[in-house]
Each structure stands twice: as C-alpha cells, then as structure tokens.
C-alpha cells in the first residue's frame, strides 16, 4: 500500500501518511459519487504530513472536512505548525468535551480562538467548515452541516506561515493524535459561507 496522499486539487502538494487506514466511507453527501475512502486514525500514532504546503498569508481562507469521532481527548484534526517558528501557526482540534476549536498564533499570543458551543464527538458523520475573514474584522466562523454555529472576533489579524501541514496530529509537538474518521479535507483561498 502506498503511503502517499494525493493532492486532489493540483497534484503538486502530495503528503506522506503513516499508519492511516483507508476504508469505504459512509460520509453523507460526499462530493464524489460512489464509494469513497475515509481516512481512519487510531488516536495513537496515525498521521499525515505535508512538508511543502502553500502559504496562506494574511488572506481569507476556509478549511472544510467530513469527520466522525467519539474521542474524549484533545486531538488535532488539521494544523499548520512546526518547530521552526510559533508565529503564524493555526490548528483545528477536537477538545476533550467534544467541541471543535480553531486557533491561530502571533508572536506571543493566540489572536483568534474560536470554539463551537456544541459537542460533536457522538460518532456521527458531520461536515465542518472554519472560515476566516468574511468581513473587514477577519472574524472566524464555524459552520456545521452547512449551518452557521459560531462567530469569533480576533484580537488582531495574523499572517499565517507556510509551515508543515499535518492531518490527524500536532506535528510541532508530535502529540494530540486524532481518533476517528476524516474525509475530503479541503483548504480554500477565500472565506466560504458554509
């Protein structure tokens, strides 16, 4: 089995997978017709790493994905961070209480910290989207299954760096491994509305 995860958009930003199991997905409303392959993460050591990602910078962007989990541990779904710098990192996590959290980091502090009010660790497939920058304040917004569920205002606007992009774990600290299924992770160069 190959350990390369292909970039479906352009094919130029392939990543390396370790331990991730591909299985027939049950994600509803999947963008592709027919059976698809969800990535199953064991919560211990499964991970995907892209070491040459595109740089988001200070522009608006969106991250979307299908997920299913029952985890009760803080775990990373997707993140762009590594040990070269702390400035410009961002992270999407499931918190121990099952809520979803996005944060990005400036030189010495988190500047946008946005956590959903509801928990989503009940083992059901959901589509999640986090969008930064739908207005001049560069607010962060969570959408779950197409519904707008949370808005957060940053303390300042942080340019995001072109650091390592990891799926299923925190690449900087090599911890917070995700337990559950992920599918169709996409990053857009604009703030989508759902």
């Amino acid at each position: 089995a190959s350990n390369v995860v292909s970039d479906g958009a352009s094919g130029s930003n392939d990543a390396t997978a370790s331990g991730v199991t591909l299985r027939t997905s049950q994600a509803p409303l999947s963008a592709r017709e027919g059976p698809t392959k969800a990535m199953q993460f064991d919560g211990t050591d499964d991970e995907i790493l892209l070491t040459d990602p595109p740089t988001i910078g200070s522009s608006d962007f969106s991250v979307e994905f299908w997920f299913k989990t029952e985890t009760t541990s803080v775990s990373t779904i997707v993140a762009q961070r590594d040990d070269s710098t702390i400035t410009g990192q961002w992270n999407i996590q499931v918190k121990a209480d099952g809520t979803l959290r996005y944060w990005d980091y400036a030189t010495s502090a988190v500047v946008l910290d946005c956590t959903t009010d509801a928990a989503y660790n009940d083992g059901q497939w959901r589509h999640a989207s986090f969008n930064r920058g739908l207005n001049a304040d560069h607010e962060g917004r969570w959408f779950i299954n197409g519904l707008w569920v949370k808005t957060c205002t940053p303390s300042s606007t942080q340019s995001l760096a072109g650091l390592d992009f990891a799926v299923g774990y925190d690449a900087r600290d090599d911890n917070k491994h995700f337990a559950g299924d992920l599918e169709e992770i996409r990053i857009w160069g604009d703030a989508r509305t759902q």
Side-chain angles (χ1 to χ4, degrees):
S2 172
N3 67 345
V4 174
V5 177
S6 296
D7 175 359
S10 66
S12 62
N13 292 310
D14 293 344
T16 304
S18 175
V20 177
T21 302
L22 294 180
R23 63 189 189 133
T24 301
S25 171
Q26 300 300 313
L29 304 174
S30 181
R32 291 174 274 167
E33 292 183 24
T36 58
K37 299 291 185 184
M39 299 172 287
Q40 183 179 31
F41 294 81
D42 67 8
T44 304
D45 58 2
D46 294 354
E47 49 198 50
I48 297 174
L49 183 64
L50 173 64
T51 57
D52 188 24
T55 299
I56 296 170
S58 59
S59 64
D60 300 346
F61 80 104
S62 301
V63 179
E64 67 173 306
F65 51 92
W66 284 95
F67 75 104
K68 178 174 75 168
T69 188
E70 295 179 4
T71 190
T72 55
S73 299
V74 175
S75 55
T76 297
I77 295 175
V78 294
Q80 194 162 7
R81 60 192 306 245
D82 63 31
D83 57 8
S84 64
T85 181
I86 58 172
T87 300
Q89 298 181 43
W90 62 268
N91 196 323
I92 292 178
Q93 299 174 322
V94 178
K95 293 176 62 176
D97 63 2
T99 56
L100 298 180
R101 178 186 184 208
Y102 168 91
W103 57 262
D104 59 39
Y105 201 83
T107 305
S108 61
V110 171
V111 294
L112 178 55
D113 193 344
C114 195
T115 300
T116 62
D117 295 324
Y120 301 104
N121 59 344
D122 59 0
Q124 300 298 310
W125 275 108
R126 288 189 174 81
H127 181 265
S129 177
F130 182 82
N131 310 323
R132 186 184 84 161
L134 289 170
N135 57 31
D137 293 329
H138 295 283
E139 290 177 332
R141 294 185 183 181
W142 275 108
F143 294 84
I144 303 295
N145 292 335
L147 300 175
W148 175 17
V149 298
K150 184 74 171 192
T151 300
C152 302
T153 303
S155 58
S156 65
T157 302
Q158 175 59 44
S159 182
L160 302 177
L163 306 172
D164 289 351
F165 180 80
V167 176
Y169 79 117
D170 182 331
R172 175 188 166 93
D173 299 328
D174 195 22
N175 64 9
K176 297 182 178 78
H177 286 80
F178 178 74
D181 294 350
L182 296 171
E183 185 177 0
E184 296 186 17
I185 300 166
R186 297 176 183 191
I187 300 176
W188 302 94
D190 58 4
R192 305 234 157 181
T193 57
Q194 55 179 314

